[in-house]
Amino acid sequence: MSLRRLRSTPKTLGDVNMVTEELKNLYYKRLLPIEKHYSFHHFHSPSYEDADFDNKPMVLVMGQYSTGKTTFIRYLIEQDFPGSRVGPEPTTDCFTAVMYGEREAIIPGNALTVDPKKPFRNLDPFGNSFLNRFQCVQMPNQVLQSISIIDTPGILTSAKRKLSRGYDFPAVLRWFAERVDRIILLFDAHKLEFSDELTRAFGALCGYEDKLRVVLNKADRVDSQQLMRVYGALMWSLGKVFRTPEILRVYIGSFWSEPRQMCNHYELIDLEEEDLLADIRNLPRNAVVRKLNDLVKRARLVRAHAHIVSYLKQEMPTIFCKENKKHNLIYDLPVIFTKIQQQHRVPAGDFPDCTKMQEKLLSQDFSKFKTLKSSLMASLDKLLTTDIAKLVPLFQQEELRKKSLPGVLDGEFLGTFRPEHYRRDPFKELPKDDESSEADFEEWVVEKYKPKYDEIFYNLSPTEGKLSGTKVKQWMTTTLLPNSVLAHIWRLSDIDGDGMLDNEEFALAVHLIEGKLEGYWLPRELPSHLMPPSKRLSSTSDVSA
């Protein structure tokens, strides 16, 4: 977006996302001119574009091969996505952006880098070796209307470390880490191994630990004693890599929609699952805060970079011994950082990595660097001290407009079994096809299995023709399906929203469970052919009333 296209007058919340628009204005008017003046993009990340502000929150899923990355994504969206394949061998050899689209489509990497509506245009410098292994999958899905998910290739183990990918894998990870809202790092409880490539990948995530969530997956496949040992070993290994005072949160779980194996820590897995899903569910609400935080971090880095470049320019001789002086300045860069901290009161945490900065400076011509320009630095100080503060009151308005994620991530599904959560659900309005016959509409596909389901129903001793939520939950949990799946089935089955199931509602619930156990995906809303006949009449009368 050009500067002249930016309006100076604020927009109403009804027209556009006001906070995002203001962030764009601040970046294009205040920060981008400084980045260009001091060649910030030659040393650090490329400039932001409109898509970087407008895109949905993104979740980066990474880990070694066969840790369940693709299965985790399928678990989140409760659906297969084109090109996905699951197996014990390395099945994902490319980066895949799973995003919302009106119809299914696969867009190759080179086409993505020229699409201004996608936030991937700045991936072009990584070259064809990477772009040939990058693609975007678009599909209609409720969850993807609120977030986008990035699937990554499995990180190579030590046995395969000699294989070359043909592109800078850690650099690509760092590019995504800077732009995503959450990083999910998966480990397998069966094979906890820290390879050389995994260690380099950790290095790419340094500085973004606040976005990182570590998951110890497939925890139902080990007993409690083994889990305790694996968990301790993982925490010890992570502590050696991420040298931060805060301990990284490690979620213990088995993140897929199939039945879990019974284990002593089954309840712990359910609680950890709910915590992680709640964290992902809140991403749309926190997206604007994350964008603001990233903009402030970038502005601080730009300020430190400007002081570094200006100092190097001033120290360079006019004519003689330029090359020797350049190498001496690069060697003394840690001392220069300290001087700038003391003279200009720039916090040490704002400076870039010294070693990487030294490597970048080797190929630069110091004579082309610019000295400090007072007007630009004043504009940057105004951004950090005044302009950002004016946006804070708008966050509360933005918070009211954001909604949590639907589908299996919806907190209502996870809380369905709680007594205080019983209420009517919006599944009453069932579209009826005018061309279908009345007989087809009245047919209930569960009817032929109902005698078998009724036997289970009456063995659970219903009271006044209904089973309480407690009794149903006790029976449902014997299927070993995850609580999020069972809660979704409950919500679909408890049609009248009274917190109990009659024989028809229970038959529907068992039918959905059996379908799930056979590998079918659950419907988001209850279709008409699954609606019990007696409930169709009451639903129709409720709608007409």
Side-chain angles (χ1 to χ4, degrees), residues 207-402:
Y208 304 102
E209 290 86 356
D210 57 319
K211 301 179 180 181
L212 184 61
R213 302 292 183 269
V214 181
V215 176
L216 185 58
N217 202 19
K218 306 181 183 179
D220 60 328
R221 307 303 172 95
V222 297
D223 59 37
S224 298
Q225 185 181 28
Q226 291 174 323
L227 179 63
M228 181 182 66
R229 291 173 176 171
V230 172
Y231 180 84
L234 177 59
M235 294 297 293
W236 181 80
S237 300
L238 292 174
K240 292 178 62 179
V241 177
F242 296 102
R243 300 183 180 278
T244 57
E246 302 86 6
I247 299 176
L248 289 175
R249 170 70 189 273
V250 176
Y251 295 87
I252 298 171
S254 180
F255 292 93
W256 65 338
S257 300
E258 304 304 317
R260 298 180 180 138
Q261 293 187 6
M262 180 54 70
C263 54
N264 294 332
H265 46 276
Y266 192 90
E267 183 178 352
L268 173 64
I269 291 177
D270 283 338
L271 294 174
E272 293 283 281
E273 172 195 49
E274 184 170 345
D275 284 351
L276 181 60
L277 293 184
D279 181 73
I280 298 175
R281 188 173 65 246
N282 288 327
L283 288 181
R285 293 179 175 176
N286 300 328
V288 176
V289 178
R290 194 274 303 171
K291 291 174 183 176
L292 174 68
N293 183 62
D294 287 352
L295 185 65
V296 172
K297 286 172 60 176
R298 187 181 182 93
R300 289 179 175 276
L301 179 59
V302 169
R303 181 176 61 182
H305 174 81
H307 283 292
I308 296 169
V309 168
S310 174
Y311 184 92
L312 296 175
K313 172 68 173 178
Q314 291 175 344
E315 292 295 315
M316 284 294 291
T318 306
I319 301 176
F320 300 108
C321 303
K322 287 186 177 182
E323 198 64 26
N324 288 337
K325 184 62 174 180
K326 171 184 174 179
H327 285 86
N328 290 336
L329 287 173
I330 293 175
Y331 181 80
D332 293 335
L333 195 61
V335 179
I336 294 173
F337 280 13
T338 304
K339 289 182 179 179
I340 295 174
Q341 292 175 36
Q342 296 172 348
Q343 294 176 5
H344 301 281
R345 297 182 180 180
V346 179
D350 293 353
F351 283 82
D353 181 85
C354 187
T355 303
K356 292 181 179 179
M357 190 69 179
Q358 287 173 322
E359 294 175 357
K360 295 280 188 181
L361 287 171
L362 287 172
S363 60
Q364 299 295 321
D365 183 359
F366 286 17
S367 62
K368 295 182 179 180
F369 288 170
K370 306 289 181 63
T371 57
L372 285 181
K373 193 174 181 180
S374 58
S375 61
L376 290 178
M377 299 308 294
S379 178
L380 181 57
D381 290 337
K382 187 175 185 297
L383 169 68
L384 290 171
T385 58
T386 306
D387 296 333
I388 295 296
K390 291 180 180 179
L391 292 181
V392 175
L394 300 178
F395 289 156
Q396 296 179 347
Q397 302 178 45
E398 181 68 18
E399 176 77 15
L400 297 175
R401 301 177 64 242
K402 292 292 182 181

Side-chain angles (χ1 to χ4, degrees), residues 391-440:
L391 292 181
V392 175
L394 300 178
F395 289 156
Q396 296 179 347
Q397 302 178 45
E398 181 68 18
E399 176 77 15
L400 297 175
R401 301 177 64 242
K402 292 292 182 181
K403 298 180 180 179
S404 61
L405 290 174
V408 73
L409 299 178
D410 198 331
E412 295 177 355
F413 291 167
L414 296 175
T416 303
F417 288 157
R418 298 171 187 157
E420 72 275 9
H421 201 273
Y422 300 136
R423 64 176 182 80
R424 292 193 69 84
D425 289 316
F427 297 108
K428 297 180 299 184
E429 297 185 30
L430 299 171
K432 177 180 176 182
D433 189 355
D434 294 334
E435 298 179 358
S436 63
S437 65
E438 198 69 28
D440 291 339

Side-chain angles (χ1 to χ4, degrees), residues 50 134 256 283 306 480:
D50 282 1
F134 177 50
W256 65 338
L283 288 181
L480 301 183

Side-chain angles (χ1 to χ4, degrees), residues 441-500:
F441 183 70
E442 291 178 357
E443 182 182 358
W444 187 34
V445 297
V446 186
E447 187 67 45
K448 56 184 176 181
Y449 308 105
K450 195 169 182 299
K452 178 179 65 174
Y453 301 154
D454 282 345
E455 184 177 350
I456 303 174
F457 178 80
Y458 289 109
N459 284 337
L460 294 175
S461 303
T463 303
E464 297 181 356
K466 291 193 174 186
L467 289 173
S468 66
T470 303
K471 287 185 177 181
V472 175
K473 179 183 179 181
Q474 290 175 350
W475 179 84
M476 278 185 166
T477 53
T478 62
T479 65
L480 301 183
L481 286 170
N483 267 4
S484 57
V485 175
L486 295 178
H488 185 21
I489 292 173
W490 171 272
R491 184 173 179 179
L492 293 175
S493 305
D494 186 17
I495 299 168
D496 54 14
D498 61 354
M500 297 182 288

